[in-house]
Amino acid sequence: MQRVGFLISPNFQMMSFAALSAFEFANYAADKALYDIVIVSEGGGPVRSSVGPKLDSLCFGEPDFDTLVVCGTPDVDPPTPGVIDYVRQAPARSRRVASICTGAFVLAEAGLLDGRRVTTHWLWTRDLQARFPRLKVDEDRIFIADGQIWTSAGMSAGVDLALGMVEEDHGAELARIVARQLVLYHRRGGGQSQHSNLLDLDAKSDRIQTALTYAKRNLHAPLTVEQLAEVAHLSPRQFSRAFRNETGQSPAKAVENLRVEAARLMMEQTLHPIDVVAAETGFADRERMRRAFLRAFGQPPQAIRRLAKGPAGPMRHPSPRSFVRRYTRSLSM
């Protein structure tokens, strides 16, 4: 049995314990006790959460867990010297040390993240990088495992991190079963983006928004600057300038982001061949799509599909073009 310690401090966020459920359901799915969960704190006893209710905990002693998980709080105030010292000792006694959300700041204060690739919730990534310049903060990853140190983005990403640990310990099939028991569509890989380009990209003026809506609904088309400018009733130069001012991206980069997001969804949710996915999302060929995936996710399309597969594999959609149109139309309404 592997002991997993969840370290909490006053004002901890209850949602950190969503990750605990992955270990709990791994025990159910395996029909044996794979993990023993222990809640610890500096002083032990009841610890107040950020929403009010208190949770009982054991006073931490030696950090002799197989895995120690540091839970996040709504703020990033420096932890107490006792917590810093306890976490600093953990790598010498634990196989893995992890943080959920802003728990990364605790690991950073203890010096565990120096020189490592890490992540945290996107609201706090720049602050983390500024306060700890020796870190390599990746602000757009669900979770990152750098050696024995694991860090996750927001609270829900802690579930993905825990599922990644279950997979490392007991194989991909058990992790997929646990994901299904938790009513997750699939297990998200650590390389997946925290953001959806299709959801985030927006514009202030009606003309640029009209061009964006057209692009979302016609990803299979060339979508040149001239074509989008015509839709917006602007000259190409006026359109490019206005588009960048309103979205912070060039038209070409925005279109690539939209295509990558739609292609990712097709890779995760259908069995259509890569060439079909590339064609329907506007990439000229699979190689261009592969390079775009590497830029966006750090992984090729095949890796995204492998991570998305459940026991029965992704569902096959009857029409690749209708899949893209249905999804993008829902975002444009």
Side-chain angles (χ1 to χ4, degrees), residues 118-164:
V118 302
T119 193
T120 189
H121 193 287
W122 62 268
L123 279 172
W124 293 103
T125 50
R126 293 184 181 180
D127 190 28
L128 182 66
Q129 186 68 81
R131 286 171 57 173
F132 303 97
R134 297 180 65 184
L135 277 56
K136 302 173 183 177
V137 180
D138 191 332
E139 63 183 37
D140 201 26
R141 296 281 78 88
I142 294 295
F143 69 87
I144 292 175
D146 188 332
Q148 71 180 127
I149 307 298
W150 296 51
T151 53
S152 83
M155 299 294 171
S156 62
V159 180
D160 301 289
L161 177 144
L163 285 169

Side-chain angles (χ1 to χ4, degrees), residues 18-330:
L20 186 153
S21 299
F23 299 114
E24 175 189 10
F25 276 84
N27 290 343
Y28 292 147
D31 197 26
K32 60 181 178 181
L34 301 176
Y35 298 100
D36 177 32
I37 309 299
V38 182
I39 311 299
V40 296
S41 66
E42 183 173 15
V47 180
R48 189 181 187 280
S49 69
S50 61
V51 293
K54 297 179 179 181
L55 185 69
D56 200 22
S57 66
L58 299 177
C59 180
F60 60 54
E62 297 293 334
D64 57 351
F65 298 102
D66 173 80
T67 301
L68 177 67
V69 181
V70 178
C71 298
T73 60
D75 53 53
V76 289
D77 294 334
T80 66
V83 169
I84 292 175
D85 184 60
Y86 180 77
V87 172
R88 185 177 290 130
Q89 298 177 52
R93 307 183 64 97
S94 299
R95 181 167 60 98
R96 290 181 303 223
V97 182
S99 64
I100 295 176
C101 197
T102 55
F105 284 82
V106 179
L107 269 57
E109 290 279 2
L112 271 57
L113 303 185
D114 289 353
R116 295 185 182 272
R117 289 184 61 244
V118 302
T119 193
T120 189
H121 193 287
W122 62 268
L123 279 172
W124 293 103
T125 50
R126 293 184 181 180
D127 190 28
L128 182 66
Q129 186 68 81
R131 286 171 57 173
F132 303 97
R134 297 180 65 184
L135 277 56
K136 302 173 183 177
V137 180
D138 191 332
E139 63 183 37
D140 201 26
R141 296 281 78 88
I142 294 295
F143 69 87
I144 292 175
D146 188 332
Q148 71 180 127
I149 307 298
W150 296 51
T151 53
S152 83
M155 299 294 171
S156 62
V159 180
D160 301 289
L161 177 144
L163 285 169
M165 291 180 173
V166 171
E167 179 171 336
E168 179 179 75
D169 297 341
H170 303 288
E173 185 60 24
L174 181 62
R176 290 167 185 154
I177 292 171
V178 172
R180 292 186 67 188
Q181 290 179 336
L182 292 172
V183 199
L184 301 176
Y185 181 75
H186 61 78
R187 186 181 78 75
R188 298 185 295 178
Q192 185 165 323
S193 172
Q194 293 189 36
H195 305 284
S196 167
N197 292 306
L198 283 165
L199 290 173
D200 291 346
L201 195 58
D202 204 355
K204 300 175 182 178
S205 69
D206 290 342
R207 288 188 174 189
I208 301 303
Q209 188 59 52
T210 298
L212 272 174
T213 300
Y214 178 86
K216 292 174 182 179
R217 293 182 176 179
N218 294 275
L219 291 179
H220 64 282
L223 297 178
T224 63
V225 170
E226 290 75 16
Q227 184 179 3
L228 294 175
E230 184 177 352
V231 172
H233 301 293
L234 293 169
S235 72
R237 180 175 296 182
Q238 289 175 319
F239 174 76
S240 294
R241 187 184 303 114
F243 192 96
R244 185 181 289 276
N245 288 339
E246 294 189 26
T247 68
Q249 302 179 30
S250 69
K253 185 60 177 178
V255 167
E256 179 179 288
N257 287 339
L258 293 171
R259 284 178 169 149
V260 164
E261 182 77 0
R264 178 185 65 81
L265 289 167
M266 286 190 73
M267 292 298 297
E268 290 177 343
Q269 300 181 23
T270 80
L271 290 176
H272 294 304
I274 293 178
D275 289 332
V276 172
V277 174
E280 292 303 323
T281 53
F283 292 103
D285 53 55
R286 61 189 297 163
E287 177 57 24
R288 290 190 182 182
M289 188 173 83
R290 187 187 73 84
R291 292 198 299 267
F293 267 63
L294 290 173
R295 284 192 293 270
F297 309 123
Q299 296 177 307
Q302 297 92 329
I304 300 293
R305 174 161 283 174
R306 282 195 300 270
L307 288 170
K309 285 183 178 178
M315 63 181 181
R316 183 185 297 276
H317 198 281
S319 167
R321 183 159 300 181
S322 66
F323 177 91
V324 175
R325 285 180 174 173
R326 183 177 302 176
Y327 185 78
T328 55
R329 184 172 292 114
S330 70

